[in-house]
């Protein structure tokens, strides 16, 4: 990453944030658009989770990572605080890797 | 944050700052990965201060680490940053009466976590407080974490040893949870997950997330219709 690449990334990242905040806000979502906005986070978060879980690595890393994330999911299901979810996931993966 | 607070809605503040601390841990991961992919401490910190959208930063650094070009790294970061535009209309609703400088500053902290914490609150006042707590909390902690990770990168060694690669997606699982309490949300999540699995091996980092959203959102919206 050159400084130019970092600058381009920074300017475009801010531009997308500003586009939504200052531009799209003039359009009030209604009907189908409102429903689309409502379900969008579920789609994005689910995809982010999966793409990170299946990110290529050694078989041991991938299955221990998956079990760790499942432990985090169980913690989230029980509505534990976010830090507990993260600790459950990271801790489970780290302990499994110590044992394997 | 400390001291007695008798207001009924401390939860948005607490949620916001606890997610900030959690993301700070991920910031450490970013710092470590940035150093491992050849970025200087200054460049790693500049990315977190200026780009400030974690998934984009991690994608960019992953592409570089995997031997990709700077153009590929920037492109995947930009693809991931597009979704921040979609949070804008919702966030603007909470900051409609603020001054322009305030809104320009707020714009920088429009990210998954701040929009997610805000949207999870029951009313606009709490949404605003939750958004600000998460936005500021994540900004401070993400940058501190990046600095610590970049400086300590060589000491941490392999981040997988600490399970940090599992901790990061788990944070998004926690953010996902409130969005899958209704059927359209569950449909969106399941379709997006399936599309991601199918496309991730073939596409550059970042692209599967946008394609998954493009496919899952119409399917979920359709599942919503019928006798509403």
């Amino acid at each position: 990453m050159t400084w130019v690449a970092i600058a381009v990334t920074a300017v475009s990242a801010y531009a997308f944030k500003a586009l939504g905040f200052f531009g799209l806000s003039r359009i009030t979502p209604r009907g189908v658009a409102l429903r689309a906005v409502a379900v969008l986070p579920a789609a994005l978060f689910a995809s982010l989770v999966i793409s990170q879980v299946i990110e290529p690595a050694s078989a041991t890393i991938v299955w221990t990572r998956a079990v760790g994330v499942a432990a985090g999911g169980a913690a989230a299901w029980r509505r534990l605080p976010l830090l507990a979810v993260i600790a459950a996931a990271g801790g489970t993966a780290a302990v499994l890797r110590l044992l394997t | 944050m400390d001291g007695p607070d008798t207001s009924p809605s401390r939860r948005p503040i607490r949620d916001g700052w606890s997610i900030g601390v959690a993301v700070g841990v991920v910031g450490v991961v970013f710092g470590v990965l940035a150093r491992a992919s050849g970025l200087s401490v200054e460049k790693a910190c500049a990315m977190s201060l200026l780009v400030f959208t974690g998934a984009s930063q991690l994608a960019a650094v992953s592409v570089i680490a995997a031997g990709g070009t700077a153009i590929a790294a920037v492109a995947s970061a930009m693809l991931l940053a597009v979704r921040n535009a979609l949070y804008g209309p919702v966030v603007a609703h909470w900051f409609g009466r603020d001054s322009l400088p305030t809104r320009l500053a707020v714009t920088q902290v429009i990210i998954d976590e701040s929009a997610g914490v805000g949207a999870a609150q029951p009313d606009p006042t709490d949404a605003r407080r939750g958004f600000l707590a998460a936005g500021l909390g994540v900004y401070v902690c993400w940058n501190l974490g990046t600095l610590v990770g970049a400086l300590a990168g060589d000491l941490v060694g392999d981040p997988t040893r600490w399970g940090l690669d599992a901790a990061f997606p788990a944070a998004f699982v926690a953010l996902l949870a409130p969005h899958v309490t209704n059927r359209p949300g569950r449909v969106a999540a399941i379709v997006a997950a399936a599309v991601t699995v199918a496309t991730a091996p073939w596409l550059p980092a970042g692209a599967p997330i946008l394609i998954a959203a493009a496919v899952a959102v119409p399917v979920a919206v359709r599942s919503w219709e019928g006798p509403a």
Side-chain angles (χ1 to χ4, degrees):
Chain A
M1 290 291 274
T2 62
W3 281 109
V4 172
I6 290 171
V8 170
T9 309
V11 168
S12 59
Y14 189 86
F16 285 126
K17 293 169 183 173
L19 175 71
F21 192 90
F22 294 98
L24 301 180
S25 66
R26 290 167 197 279
I27 305 158
T28 308
R30 272 187 268 184
V32 171
L34 190 64
R35 288 176 171 180
V37 170
V39 297
L40 188 65
L44 288 170
F45 289 142
S47 183
L48 278 164
V49 171
I50 296 299
S51 58
Q52 286 157 25
V53 168
I54 64 174
E55 192 164 302
S58 76
T60 305
I61 291 294
V62 173
W63 80 256
T64 50
R65 181 198 290 153
V67 174
V69 174
W77 184 265
R78 303 200 59 178
R79 299 181 177 232
L80 295 179
L82 185 74
L83 277 179
V85 172
I86 285 177
T92 301
V95 168
L96 284 173
R97 285 163 193 175
L98 278 179
L99 297 176
T100 50
Chain B
M1 233 56 54
D2 297 325
D5 182 349
T6 52
S7 87
S9 54
R10 284 182 66 182
R11 190 179 173 93
I13 307 293
R14 198 185 56 207
D15 283 359
W17 280 89
S18 52
I19 205 166
V21 171
V23 173
V25 177
V26 184
V28 176
V29 177
F30 172 74
V32 171
L33 289 178
R35 292 288 288 134
S37 63
L39 270 72
S40 64
V41 175
E42 292 83 354
K43 282 179 176 172
C45 290
M47 281 190 80
S48 286
L49 285 165
L50 301 174
V51 178
F52 189 60
T53 179
S56 291
Q57 292 178 231
L58 284 161
V61 166
S62 307
V63 170
I64 294 289
T69 62
I71 289 173
V74 171
S76 54
M78 285 173 73
L79 283 173
L80 270 174
V82 171
R83 73 186 185 288
N84 289 330
L86 300 165
Y87 300 134
V90 183
V91 176
H93 180 63
W94 306 327
F95 293 90
R97 293 180 184 173
D98 293 85
S99 68
L100 183 62
T102 302
R103 286 187 285 159
L104 288 173
V106 162
T107 299
Q108 177 68 340
V109 296
I110 298 174
I111 51 168
D112 296 328
E113 292 81 1
S114 55
V117 170
Q121 307 307 320
D123 63 75
T125 307
D126 276 358
R128 182 190 160 96
R129 297 169 71 216
F131 171 88
L132 282 176
L136 292 175
V138 170
Y139 194 80
V140 169
C141 298
W142 176 256
N143 279 288
L144 284 176
T146 300
L147 180 62
V148 169
L151 290 175
D154 299 333
L155 301 175
V156 173
D158 183 3
T160 59
R161 200 177 129 208
W162 308 94
L164 296 181
D165 59 316
F168 189 51
F172 283 109
V173 171
L175 286 170
L176 173 65
H179 293 282
V180 290
T181 51
N182 59 3
R183 187 166 178 274
R186 283 192 292 274
V187 170
I190 291 166
V191 173
V195 171
T196 305
V197 169
T199 59
W202 322 105
L203 296 171
I209 290 155
L210 293 168
I211 292 170
V215 174
V217 167
V219 173
V221 166
R222 190 160 301 183
S223 81
W224 202 323
E225 285 167 351

